[in-house]
Structure formats: C-alpha cells, structure tokens
Amino acid sequence: MRKRERRSFTDEFKQQMVQLYENGKPRADILKEYDLGASAFDRWVKQSKTTGSFKEKDNRTAEQTELIELRKENQ
C-alpha cells in the first residue's frame, strides 16, 4: 500500500467545501468527489463554525497558547 502524498488546500477551497456541506450536500459525497480525508474535512467544518478561520493559531485553546508562550520563555 502506497503512502499518500500530503496535500495542502487554500482557505478558499476549504470554505467552499464547508459551504457545500452546509448547503445540504452529503458529507460522504464531498469526501468521495474531492478525495478528501474525513478528519481534515471534519476539522474544517469545526473551525469554520467556531472561529471562522482555518489558521491553526486562530483555533488554539487558551491553554495551548499559554503553553507555547511558556516554552518560548524557557528557551
């Protein structure tokens, strides 16, 4: 079994996929048609609903942000 090459997607593409889902297109159809992984797609939907941003730094919890800052201070 070959390992799949990691792909990256633009924020616009992610937003389009979320819009399709929110407009009633079945999740399974989106995953199959666009050859997407379920976990990535689910994360996009969650990020869109919570912060509206697909950037990881915008979706960190307060604890995660604090931990990163403390690690920087310790270095």
Side-chain angles (χ1 to χ4, degrees):
M1 188 168 157
R2 270 184 24 178
K3 197 170 190 177
R4 183 185 219 172
E5 186 175 325
R6 185 177 184 98
R7 300 177 293 169
S8 61
F9 301 97
T10 64
D11 287 349
E12 292 80 20
F13 178 82
K14 294 174 185 179
Q15 187 60 47
Q16 288 175 343
M17 296 302 105
V18 172
Q19 279 301 125
L20 286 173
Y21 178 70
E22 289 176 346
N23 290 336
K25 186 162 185 164
R27 177 180 173 268
D29 291 352
I30 296 170
L31 297 179
K32 186 175 182 180
E33 184 176 338
Y34 294 95
D35 191 29
L36 299 173
S39 63
F41 178 76
D42 293 341
R43 184 173 57 250
W44 299 345
V45 171
K46 180 182 176 192
Q47 289 172 337
S48 178
K49 287 181 181 177
T50 56
T51 64
S53 173
F54 298 108
K55 307 260 184 265
E56 289 302 318
K57 68 176 187 156
D58 295 337
N59 288 290
R60 290 184 186 131
T61 65
E63 291 173 341
Q64 290 171 324
T65 303
E66 181 183 7
L67 182 59
I68 290 169
E69 290 172 10
L70 289 172
R71 286 180 175 162
K72 284 180 184 178
E73 285 179 23
N74 285 337
Q75 286 180 343

